[in-house]
Structures are given as structure tokens and as C-alpha cells.
Amino acid sequence: MKKAAKTALIVFGALLLLLLLCFIHHRIQLSRESGLFVPLGTVVEVDGHQMSVYTEGEGAQTLVFLSGSGTCSPILDFKALYSQLSGSYRIAVPERFGYGFSDVAGLPRDLDTVLEQTRAALQKAGLTPPYVLCPHSMSGLEALYWAHRYPDEVSAIIGLDMSVPAAYEAMAIREPLLRLLQFGSAVGLTRFLPIASDSAAIRSGALSQEEQDLYRAVFYRRTMTGDMVNEALCVKENVERVAQDGTPDVPILMFCSDGSDGAGFSKEDWRTIQTGFAQACYDAQIIYLDCGHYVHDFEYERIAAAIKEFFNR
């Protein structure tokens, strides 16, 4: 028993030492990367914290891109798509707290709070409604809620493999796992998994080498932040609010993936969920894509062409 206790103590001590060394290395690297971490867009004050909003292009329509859960750098993640559209439309990418160049604020992540912060950030950045909302994944909830709560501010929704309430019916939210991932990111364990930072945005080929380096610098600062974790923990409550409203009375164009690379469903199940929602809407069109969940990084040229056709029609 004494031998076992001594061995366990040695192993525990070694693990603590490794974590300490990992954390020190992480902090050193963050300091070295600080010169890269310069906001790409406008930074405005919302609820006492700094929130990032990127804008590009001109046009009669303002397309607001809303990122999915855990997307560390929304501005760079959407670039492959919005760079195809900014010649014809006004582009806006607000980054929620805990994402990209926005602060990690520690504020409530209920849908009402998140929506009001997004609206305030856009208005302070000089953008006025109506907007065409372009949500990816979980931000589909925010877009649907927005269209119900402020119908005059939303002229259409373009869903980039957006989530809908039915997608969360059987989903289990495991807080211990989320907290463990948050801890691993905070001490820098992600630096020992280089493939983790090679996101779909980087693999799209749309980012320059400088932008790829910036993406990685953002990744090591904005992966599994406290705001991201709390957002995930609020998702069931947020789903209930959206589900009570039903489908919004706005034109919707939905792009649906094959369920892989992040959606977490089989192709059949994911498309059943997306199709069911589209059929329940009064004016919705759905386009099926044979690619992963980050459709805007894989099929950005096809999506851009379909969006232009959608507006022309």
C-alpha cells in the first residue's frame, strides 16, 4: 500500500510538473504571438467590454455572418465566402464575446443577451437594418429568434448549415467534458495538437500565409473560452425559446451539408432535420451539398453563386 501510494504521488507530481511546463510554454508563445493579434475590423464597446465587428464591401443588402459555436475566428472563417460577395453586397461579421478579437467577457449567454449585444455592436459599427442574416450552425438559433423578435430588422435568412431546434432534441450537453476541454485550452495543451488549428478555413485555401498565421494566433487565444462553454451550457434553454416561436415569416435559403466534419449527425439524420424545418417554413429553399459542416469553407463558390441568384430572383 505504501509503495502504491508513493507511486501515485510521484505520477501525480510528474503530471503537475508537465502541466506547469506546458502552461509556461503557452504563456511565452502567447507573448510572442501578441504582435499578430491585431483586430481586423472595428472594435466597439458593448456592455462594458470590447466587441469586434468586421465590415467589407458596398451594396443595397447587408449580409450579417453569424458564426457557429466554438469557431475561434469568425472573420477569417467566413472569408472564403464573403470575399466572393463583397463586390455586390455590404458584409458584416460581428464576433460574439469569447470569439476572435472580442473580449472574453464572462457575461450571460442566454439568447436575449447575445442578440442584444449583436444588434448593439452592428449599430455602433455604423450598420443599420434591415439585415440578411447568414448564420452557421448554432447561430441559426440567434437568427431565427432575431427574425421573430425584430421582424423589421431581418429581410431574409441564408442558413449555412444552420442548426434548428430539432437538432438539439436528443443532444446531451456534458459539462464535465466541456470544462475539461476549457482547462486543456487554458494551459496550452492544444499547442501539442497542431492538426487542431488546421481548420476548414485554413484548408479552404482562401487564406494567405499571413492570415493563416493570424488564424493560429487567434486559435490559441480563443479556443474553448469561458464564454464559449457557457454558451453551450445555455443551448437547451435557448432552443426552447426559439421552438416556441415556430418558423419565421421571412424568405430562407438553406445550404445543407452531409452532416460530417462538425455537425455530429449521419447524413440521413442531418438532412431529415434540415428538410423538415424547410418544409415547415412558408418560403424556404434548400440546397444539398456533399461536403462537411463548414459549408462556406468547402463550397464557397457554389454558395456565392446561389446567393446572388437568390437575390436576383
Side-chain angles (χ1 to χ4, degrees), residues 242-276:
V242 176
Q244 290 172 358
D245 293 331
T247 56
D249 294 330
V250 296
I252 300 177
L253 173 62
M254 297 175 63
F255 295 95
C256 178
S257 77
D258 61 13
S260 65
D261 199 30
F265 290 83
S266 68
K267 180 176 181 177
E268 181 181 359
D269 288 346
W270 183 243
R271 291 194 171 179
T272 296
I273 290 170
Q274 296 273 298
T275 303

Side-chain angles (χ1 to χ4, degrees), residues 201-215:
I202 289 178
R203 286 181 275 130
S204 72
L207 302 183
S208 67
Q209 186 58 56
E210 288 183 353
E211 289 169 333
Q212 291 180 38
D213 293 340
L214 174 56
Y215 187 99

Side-chain angles (χ1 to χ4, degrees), residues 26-35 191 221:
H26 181 49
R27 301 307 300 181
I28 292 172
Q29 293 302 113
L30 288 178
S31 179
R32 289 176 176 172
E33 295 160 356
S34 60
R191 290 188 181 274
R221 283 168 166 75

